[in-house]
């Protein structure tokens, strides 16, 4: 069931929130042992919210009675929020993130917390301290990451909607691996208050859903100015559910020539070419564009993101939150032991790398330099958007890879982020949606990128394509 279908059921009066909640509780209990998409789930927590909604049936918000799964890095008052890290084990935030407050005000039902790579570092969900989530289309494969639990749960029908966070592709890449729709909003569009920070200048919270319409619905529920996030922007949020019905004929779509790289899987390339053909049939105008600094995107991202991460993660020292090592006979030793035992290998790698690029003597050579290149990358997008309304690219160079395939070589994992990270460096919005399947039945995703604050245009083009292609109707057979 999609969120829109659930709303239609409520309209007819055939079911109330407690019945819908039971349906999803059952689905989660059935599939969780197979997919491990959730890291915290308590049916009573869900039932209580559904019951309360029915009791005060008066203020029916825009997400009234619709279940939403939450990524484990978004603070939910009184509920364990751990970033899938041992170092935050047993941490229960004393407050709600702004997006959670908004969902509650809109009448949504929170289902539980979704698995992720530890602190959102990764592209496969394998760096979770709880163990990986499995891909519903093929359980020998990863669901993508870092919001892998959120995307897998939506694909498997364990929830109609989920929240993810995206610093370098963490919403879009798992959406593409799991055959669902995911949006990284414009930087500043959605409040980051209560999102446990990875890289503050890149992080955005965004929606994951089965259809473009559902994605737009959840986006409208969380977007908008918030004075508790100083980077939140005071811009009007359009009614995206209305906007997405607008005609797409005449929209200009640019295809970046630098994105046809050696590692691009032939099946992905084929699906993208077919999608371009579909776009032409819908009346969109396709042209080639250039993003000349693309080759610097990965090194730039992995300097900026790790620098910010090393600084953000300094607060986890065993004093204020979560895990504390009992070993060590001085304060400094306790810090060292806590961090050594509490962080997993990828988190340590990033803290060390980020500390290095910020250290005196290297700051100018790495960090300051990366910031300058970041400006050039942003200008590439400004320039491209002088000629076109949207950009179209693959979301990932390959479909979902096998569990363990990239674990022994962190660099190959980093390289798989090539199509998604520039978007975060530039701060622009981008959406991933299904554009086909491999002969083995694995979903393929395409990415649409728009100008800042033009999310509505992404939804329009994506909705038109989705309706014409029908890919969203396929469902995984989970074994
Ligand atoms: N895969 C990227 C990384 O590991 C992006 C992660 C993210 O967006 N949180 O940094």
């Amino acid at each position: 069931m999609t969120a829109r279908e659930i709303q239609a059921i409520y309209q007819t009066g055939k079911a109330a929130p407690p019945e819908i909640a039971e349906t999803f509780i059952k689905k989660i209990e059935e599939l969780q042992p197979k997919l491990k998409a959730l890291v915290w789930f308590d049916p009573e927590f869900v039932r209580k919210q559904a019951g309360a909604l029915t009791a005060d049936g008066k203020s029916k918000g825009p997400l009234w009675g619709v279940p939403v799964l939450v990524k484990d890095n978004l603070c939910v008052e009184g509920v364990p929020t751990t970033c899938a890290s041992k170092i935050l084990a047993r941490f229960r935030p004393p407050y709600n993130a702004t997006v959670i407050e908004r969902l509650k005000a809109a009448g949504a039902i929170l289902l539980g917390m979704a698995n992720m790579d530890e602190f959102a570092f990764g592209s496969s969900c394998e760096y979770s301290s709880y163990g990986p989530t499995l891909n519903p289309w093929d359980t020998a494969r990863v669901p993508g990451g870092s919001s892998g639990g959120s995307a897998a749960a939506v694909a498997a029908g364990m929830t109609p909607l989920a929240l993810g966070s995206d610093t370098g592709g963490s919403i879009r890449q798992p959406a593409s691996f799991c055959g669902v729709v995911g949006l990284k909003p414009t930087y500043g569009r959605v409040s980051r208050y209560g999102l446990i920070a990875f890289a503050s200048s890149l992080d955005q919270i965004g929606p994951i859903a089965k259809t473009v319409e559902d994605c737009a619905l959840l986006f409208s529920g969380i977007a908008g100015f918030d004075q508790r996030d100083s980077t939140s922007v005071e811009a009007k949020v359009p009614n995206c559910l209305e906007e997405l019905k607008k005609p797409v004929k005449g929209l200009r779509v640019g295809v970046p020539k630098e994105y046809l790289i050696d590692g691009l899987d032939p099946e992905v390339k084929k699906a993208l070419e077919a999608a371009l053909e579909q776009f032409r049939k819908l009346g969109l105008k396709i042209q080639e564009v250039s993003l000349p600094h693309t080759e610097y995107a990965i090194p730039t991202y992995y300097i900026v993101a790790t620098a910010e991460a090393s600084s953000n993660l300094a607060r986890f020292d065993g004093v204020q939150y979560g895990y504390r090592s009992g070993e060590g006979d001085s304060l400094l030793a306790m810090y060292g032991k806590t961090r050594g035992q509490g962080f997993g290998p990828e988190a340590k790698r990033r803290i060390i790398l980020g500390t290095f690029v910020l250290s005196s003597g290297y700051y100018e050579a790495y960090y300051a330099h990366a910031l300058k290149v970041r400006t050039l990358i942003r200008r590439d997008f400004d320039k491209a958007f002088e000629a076109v309304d949207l950009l179209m690219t693959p979301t990932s160079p390959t479909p979902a890879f096998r569990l363990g395939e990239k674990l022994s070589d962190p660099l190959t994992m980093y390289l798989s982020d090539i199509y998604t990270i520039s978007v975060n460096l530039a701060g622009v919005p981008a959406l991933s949606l299904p554009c086909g399947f491999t002969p083995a039945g694995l979903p393929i995703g395409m990415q649409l990128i728009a100008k800042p604050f033009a999310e509505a245009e992404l939804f329009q083009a994506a909705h038109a394509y989705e309706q014409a292609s029908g890919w969203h109707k396929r469902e995984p057979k989970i074994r």
Side-chain angles (χ1 to χ4, degrees), residues 94-110:
Y95 68 98
N96 282 322
T98 295
V99 290
I100 301 298
E101 287 290 309
R102 292 202 174 160
L103 290 186
K104 283 177 168 283
I109 301 172
L110 307 180

Side-chain angles (χ1 to χ4, degrees), residues 71 119-123 145-146 165-171 198 301-302 305 346 350 414 417 421 424:
K71 186 174 179 179
F119 283 103
F121 302 151
S123 315
S146 63
S165 68
D166 191 313
T167 306
S170 274
I171 289 175
F198 162 2
Y301 170 84
Y302 276 95
E346 182 61 22
R350 301 222 180 181
Y414 297 171
D417 297 333
I421 53 185
N424 301 74

Side-chain angles (χ1 to χ4, degrees), residues 84-429:
S85 177
K86 188 177 164 191
I87 210 157
L88 275 175
R90 292 183 300 279
F91 171 58
R92 288 177 188 252
Y95 68 98
N96 282 322
T98 295
V99 290
I100 301 298
E101 287 290 309
R102 292 202 174 160
L103 290 186
K104 283 177 168 283
I109 301 172
L110 307 180
L111 282 183
M113 306 305 274
N115 201 10
M116 57 185 282
D117 287 290
E118 182 179 12
F119 283 103
F121 302 151
S123 315
S124 69
C125 226
E126 292 168 294
Y127 293 130
S128 165
S129 71
Y130 300 97
T133 294
L134 309 179
N135 191 313
W137 298 89
D138 177 352
T139 50
R141 291 177 187 266
V142 302
S146 63
S147 313
S150 301
V154 171
M158 298 159 90
T159 181
L161 303 175
L163 287 179
S165 68
D166 191 313
T167 306
S170 274
I171 289 175
R172 292 159 286 155
Q173 185 255 23
S176 86
F177 280 16
C178 293
V180 295
V181 184
L183 170 80
K184 198 250 1 143
T186 310
Y187 185 77
R189 186 60 121 169
V190 177
S191 169
R192 293 181 294 108
Y193 180 76
L195 164 68
I196 300 175
F198 162 2
S200 310
S201 79
L202 302 162
D203 297 340
Q204 266 296 287
I205 301 165
I208 299 179
K210 187 96 184 138
T211 64
V212 176
E213 211 182 2
D214 270 16
C215 192
L217 176 73
L218 183 52
F219 170 71
S220 304
I222 59 171
F225 176 69
D226 175 21
Q227 61 177 16
R228 289 180 294 187
D229 172 0
S230 64
T231 59
S232 155
V233 175
E234 269 191 277
K236 197 171 167 295
V237 184
N239 180 342
C240 292
L241 280 182
E242 283 303 316
E243 294 278 324
L244 62 70
K245 294 181 198 137
K246 281 195 179 161
V248 292
K249 197 161 177 276
L251 278 180
R252 298 160 305 166
V253 179
V255 180
K257 64 171 186 229
E258 291 80 5
Y259 279 37
L260 278 174
I261 52 160
D262 283 348
L264 180 59
D265 182 286
E267 290 297 337
V268 176
K269 187 162 176 249
K270 222 170 95 187
L272 260 288
E273 278 161 2
L276 277 177
E277 211 27 63
Q278 182 69 261
F279 269 161
R280 278 196 194 96
K281 282 195 198 133
L282 289 165
L284 284 81
K285 296 204 185 81
I286 317 292
Q287 71 183 73
E288 191 181 85
V289 295
S290 175
L291 298 172
H293 295 92
T294 299
E295 65 173 303
Y296 305 108
I298 290 191
T300 304
Y301 170 84
Y302 276 95
I303 290 171
V304 174
T306 57
E308 293 185 24
S310 72
S311 158
N312 275 325
L313 267 56
R315 75 192 69 173
F316 303 112
D317 54 11
V319 176
Q320 295 182 79
Y321 318 90
Y323 177 77
R324 177 188 296 180
S325 168
E327 297 166 39
D329 48 15
S330 68
L331 182 64
L332 216 56
M334 188 281 286
Y335 286 160
K337 289 284 178 195
T338 297
R339 288 168 69 84
Q341 294 162 8
F343 287 125
E346 182 61 22
K348 284 181 189 156
R349 196 150 39 230
R350 301 222 180 181
I351 292 169
I352 292 168
L353 187 58
T355 307
F356 174 73
V357 299
L358 288 175
S359 59
S360 92
Y362 296 99
Y363 182 97
E364 284 298 325
Y366 292 106
Y367 185 68
H369 205 86
L371 290 186
K372 288 178 192 158
V373 181
R374 180 177 186 175
T375 303
L376 297 176
I377 290 172
R378 210 199 57 231
R379 285 192 195 142
D380 281 358
F381 281 92
D382 291 346
K383 185 103 202 302
F385 284 127
E386 285 171 10
V388 295
D389 304 299
L390 297 171
L391 299 173
M392 194 248 232
T393 78
T395 306
S396 170
T398 65
F401 45 87
R402 286 179 194 285
L403 285 155
E405 193 178 315
K406 295 190 196 286
L407 264 186
S408 57
D409 182 359
L411 190 59
T412 59
M413 188 86 87
Y414 297 171
L415 291 175
S416 72
D417 297 333
I418 175 72
Y419 295 128
T420 48
I421 53 185
S422 304
V423 160
N424 301 74
L425 290 167
V428 294

